[in-house]
Amino acid sequence: MYEEKLISGKVISAEEKQKISQKVKQLKAEGINPKLSVIIVGENPASQSYVKGKVKDCAECDIDSDTIALPESTTQQELLDIIEKLNNDETVHGILVQLPLPKHIEEYAVINAISSEKDVDGFTAVNVGNMHIGKDCFIPCTPQGCIDMLEYAGVEIEGKDVVVIGRSNIVGFPVASLLIKKSATVTICHSKTKNIAEKTRNADIVIIAIGCAGFLTADMIKEGAVIVDIGINRNSQGKLCGDVDFDSCVEKAGKITPVPGGVGLMTRVNLLKNTVKSAKNKRK
């Protein structure tokens, strides 16, 4: 009934994967084999599931990949040594360290040990800095996925009032930065923001990533607003859901992304795009 309102990650990612496959084919004809190396530390089931999905995506697009699975007891120095080895491996174009890491390992130190030229997650300080000043870089995959979905759906960003709920360095801040560069007026809301509903009710676009199931309800949005849900949660019935109360908001929204089948798929596609971009850069 509401299919015309959905911004489907399944549809967009399928189309993007076809384009990626063609680019990979062209690179391989030139003797370049794009390759992604994924490092996972520990036995986190969600992380293991995410890594399997990334490896599957690579296979679909004929991108080489390998997974380096390390025990929970791995020291920070051992992990840094592996990253350094991959930095120096000319056959590897992308390096991804699956987060979260065990508590005894400093996340910032590990991420910034990755060569900025192989940081296909777009998390190193070099790539984050270049993104904020508008220089060529690897843009974080989830924020770029949000922009891709809005543009694919024909949503005008320029001049629009956008509320971003969530201020993480991985999603909230970078997506706000990308929106500002596209001439949107952006308000960032977070756990200390007073009267969030007053701000979201005036927004043309609401983007939410806070990890709180069903937080955004229909009474918090205006008629025709565009809603991008980045949250991944389990509700009380154990069902996968986002940060948006989808059933109530879909009736009022102009367009809306589903969970599952939404932004998560675009995150994975942009990881592939960045890996191919890295391989192309190597060619240059």
Side-chain angles (χ1 to χ4, degrees):
M1 184 177 177
Y2 299 112
E3 296 232 338
E4 74 283 355
K5 293 188 176 186
L6 292 185
I7 309 176
S8 172
K10 288 182 180 179
V11 172
I12 306 169
S13 64
E15 289 187 16
E16 289 299 315
K17 281 181 179 178
Q18 288 183 342
K19 296 175 187 175
I20 293 166
S21 294
Q22 280 300 114
K23 289 178 181 176
V24 171
K25 188 176 179 180
Q26 290 167 7
L27 284 169
K28 290 201 169 188
E30 298 174 28
I32 301 169
N33 296 313
K35 181 178 179 181
L36 173 69
S37 287
V38 181
I39 303 171
I40 180 170
V41 184
E43 305 290 330
N44 184 308
S47 292
Q48 289 177 330
S49 176
Y50 293 146
V51 167
K52 283 180 183 175
K54 289 164 184 174
V55 170
K56 178 174 172 286
D57 290 338
C58 284
E60 284 181 24
C61 295
D62 203 21
I63 293 172
D64 295 345
S65 70
D66 64 354
T67 302
I68 301 168
L70 304 172
E72 187 91 13
S73 59
T74 300
T75 67
Q76 180 167 311
Q77 190 56 53
E78 286 170 335
L79 179 53
L80 292 174
D81 288 344
I82 290 169
I83 291 170
E84 184 60 22
K85 186 178 178 182
L86 294 173
N87 283 341
N88 294 322
D89 186 341
E90 292 195 359
T91 68
V92 174
H93 301 98
I95 302 170
L96 183 151
V97 177
Q98 183 63 46
L99 303 178
L101 290 167
K103 291 182 180 179
H104 65 277
I105 298 177
E106 186 191 349
E107 195 173 282
Y108 181 83
V110 168
I111 287 170
N112 283 287
I114 299 170
S115 165
S116 60
E117 296 175 355
K118 297 187 179 186
D119 168 33
V120 288
D121 249 341
F123 290 165
T124 61
V126 171
N127 278 315
V128 170
N130 280 331
M131 179 197 67
H132 284 303
I133 63 173
K135 296 295 184 182
D136 184 56
C137 63
F138 292 116
I139 295 173
C141 300
T142 299
Q144 184 60 54
C146 295
I147 301 297
D148 291 343
M149 294 184 87
L150 290 172
E151 291 183 338
Y152 184 93
V155 176
E156 188 176 347
I157 298 174
E158 183 178 325
K160 298 299 181 182
D161 290 316
V162 184
V163 167
V164 176
I165 307 176
R167 54 176 169 176
S168 74
N169 289 328
I170 292 175
V171 180
F173 275 145
V175 80
S177 181
L178 294 175
L179 289 162
I180 289 167
K181 283 181 174 52
K182 291 189 174 292
S183 299
T185 300
V186 182
T187 300
I188 299 179
C189 296
H190 46 78
S191 59
K192 305 300 182 186
T193 301
K194 296 177 181 178
N195 303 318
I196 289 179
E198 287 183 13
K199 295 170 177 61
T200 54
R201 285 190 200 109
N202 292 314
D204 303 305
I205 302 169
V206 179
I207 297 175
I208 181 167
I210 57 171
C212 182
F215 177 87
L216 189 76
T217 51
D219 64 318
M220 296 173 69
I221 64 172
K222 72 177 183 181
E223 195 76 38
V226 176
I227 312 299
V228 179
D229 189 354
I230 307 173
I232 297 285
N233 313 284
R234 296 276 178 186
N235 64 15
S236 55
Q237 290 80 43
K239 184 181 176 184
L240 201 64
C241 64
D243 292 343
V244 175
D245 180 12
F246 184 86
D247 290 341
S248 69
C249 287
V250 71
E251 296 189 27
K252 201 171 181 182
K255 291 186 182 294
I256 189 168
T257 65
V259 176
V263 178
L265 293 173
M266 296 305 299
T267 299
R268 287 161 55 176
V269 158
N270 277 296
L271 178 65
L272 301 179
K273 282 184 176 180
N274 282 348
T275 302
V276 171
K277 177 180 177 178
S278 178
K280 281 185 173 182
N281 289 345
K282 184 71 174 175
R283 177 186 63 185
K284 292 175 185 176

